[in-house]
Amino acid sequence: MVEKKEEEPSLNEQVTWSWSGMVRGMRSIIPLALSGLTDGIVWGVLAHQAGLNLGEVLLMSGLVCAGSAQFLAIKLWSVPLAAGAIIPIIATTLIVNLRYLLLGAALRPWFAKLPPARAYLSLFFMSDRTGH
């Protein structure tokens, strides 16, 4: 049986965005979401061992774009957190997340054809799956 391979859109094709396409995309990432759940459990255990409270864990999970940056930052975390220790944590997080700048630039030809609100919504959900 030959599998039908989806063709990548060319730059000349019209880019469309729809809620049904977004839902289809959400369904297609369910296996990745399940692996992300296990990453979250491991992150929670490591954060607890590092002495972070629930508020700190939620704040870090909300502000840090990539799970890999969280795992690196937790290694730099010291309890009590020394005053100068926050700078390497922020720098490490920014450096690790620079890959999203490249990914966004690579996708720009397609996103440029969308209205700004839809392009930004799409970028919000952009992931390369190496960040977790």
Side-chain angles (χ1 to χ4, degrees):
M1 179 176 209
V2 178
E3 288 186 37
K4 183 179 177 183
K5 184 178 178 181
E6 288 186 33
E7 294 181 26
E8 292 184 26
S10 72
L11 291 178
N12 297 327
E13 288 184 39
Q14 182 175 347
V15 175
T16 59
W17 188 100
S18 66
W19 285 107
S20 64
M22 189 170 166
V23 170
R24 208 170 43 250
M26 290 173 152
R27 285 186 184 140
S28 70
I29 65 162
I30 288 174
L32 292 176
L34 293 174
S35 70
L37 177 67
T38 59
D39 287 348
I41 292 169
V42 171
W43 160 246
V45 169
L46 291 175
H48 177 73
Q49 290 175 348
L52 275 67
N53 64 38
L54 180 61
E56 292 166 333
V57 170
L58 293 175
L59 187 62
M60 192 167 184
S61 292
L63 294 176
V64 178
C65 186
S68 57
Q70 285 180 273
F71 285 103
L72 288 170
I74 202 72
K75 294 291 184 184
L76 299 172
W77 200 270
S78 61
V79 179
L81 187 61
I86 196 73
I87 293 170
I89 292 172
I90 292 171
T92 301
T93 302
L94 288 173
I95 290 168
V96 168
N97 287 332
L98 280 176
R99 70 183 185 279
Y100 288 109
L101 185 64
L102 295 174
L103 184 56
L107 295 173
R108 188 183 187 305
W110 287 275
F111 288 147
K113 297 177 182 181
L114 293 174
R118 290 182 176 177
Y120 293 134
L121 181 64
S122 298
L123 286 170
F124 179 79
F125 290 106
M126 179 178 63
S127 176
D128 65 354
R129 198 47 207 148
T130 62
H132 298 283

